[in-house]
């Protein structure tokens, strides 16, 4: 074998190793992305459960308050839906169930 042939073969082997490493890295990145999505979903579900429980607890304080909270939340959802707002983040559904949670995030002017 000539020296040039040996160098060309060495380059091909190196390119193959680099390609394998790149593919493994891409697979690992996809797996990590899926794991982050799962964890994010679990956190969102847990947060929604907490808000539901807090809403229920608030309604036990006073039946009138609980019904008012529910009505305000439903109206907020209808308005947001008509304006096509909030569904990307899921915030409107949370605020519909417990509108008091949105007060903390509202800017004060």
């Amino acid at each position: 074998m000539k020296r040039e042939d040996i160098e060309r073969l060495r380059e091909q082997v190196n390119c193959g190793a680099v390609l394998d490493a790149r593919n493994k890295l891409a697979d690992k990145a996809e797996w990590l992305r899926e794991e982050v999505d799962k964890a994010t979903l679990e956190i969102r579900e847990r947060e929604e459960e907490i808000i539901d429980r807090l809403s229920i607890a608030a309604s036990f304080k006073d039946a009138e308050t609980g019904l008012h909270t529910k009505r305000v939340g439903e109206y907020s959802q209808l308005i947001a839906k008509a304006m096509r707002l909030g569904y990307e983040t899921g915030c409107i559904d949370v605020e519909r169930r417990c509108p008091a949670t949105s007060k903390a995030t509202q800017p004060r002017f």
Side-chain angles (χ1 to χ4, degrees):
M1 251 186 179
K2 294 181 182 176
R3 184 171 177 86
E4 297 88 28
D5 292 338
I6 293 172
E7 289 299 319
R8 194 171 315 129
L9 182 60
R10 189 176 289 154
E11 288 174 7
Q12 289 174 350
V13 169
N14 286 341
C15 286
V18 168
L19 185 59
D20 286 344
R22 183 183 297 162
N23 289 338
K24 286 178 183 178
L25 185 60
D27 290 345
K28 182 72 170 182
E30 180 60 29
W31 177 80
L32 286 171
R33 198 174 1 263
E34 290 171 2
E35 291 299 307
V36 167
D37 289 344
K38 285 180 200 175
T40 301
L41 180 61
E42 287 177 15
I43 290 169
R44 180 171 284 148
E45 288 171 350
R46 193 173 308 127
E47 287 173 343
E48 289 176 3
E49 182 181 352
I50 290 168
I51 290 169
D52 284 342
R53 289 177 185 232
L54 288 172
S55 297
I56 291 168
S59 69
F60 282 129
K61 179 180 177 188
D62 177 8
E64 186 66 26
T65 300
L67 293 174
H68 172 72
T69 299
K70 185 176 178 183
R71 271 192 314 275
V72 169
E74 289 171 355
Y75 287 135
S76 298
Q77 185 181 29
L78 290 172
I79 292 167
K81 187 175 180 182
M83 295 176 68
R84 296 184 175 105
L85 299 175
Y87 283 95
E88 307 80 36
T89 61
C91 293
I92 296 302
D93 189 49
V94 169
E95 291 177 7
R96 175 190 62 82
R97 288 182 278 165
C98 186
T101 61
S102 65
K103 291 178 184 175
T105 61
Q106 298 296 323
R108 294 184 182 208
F109 298 101

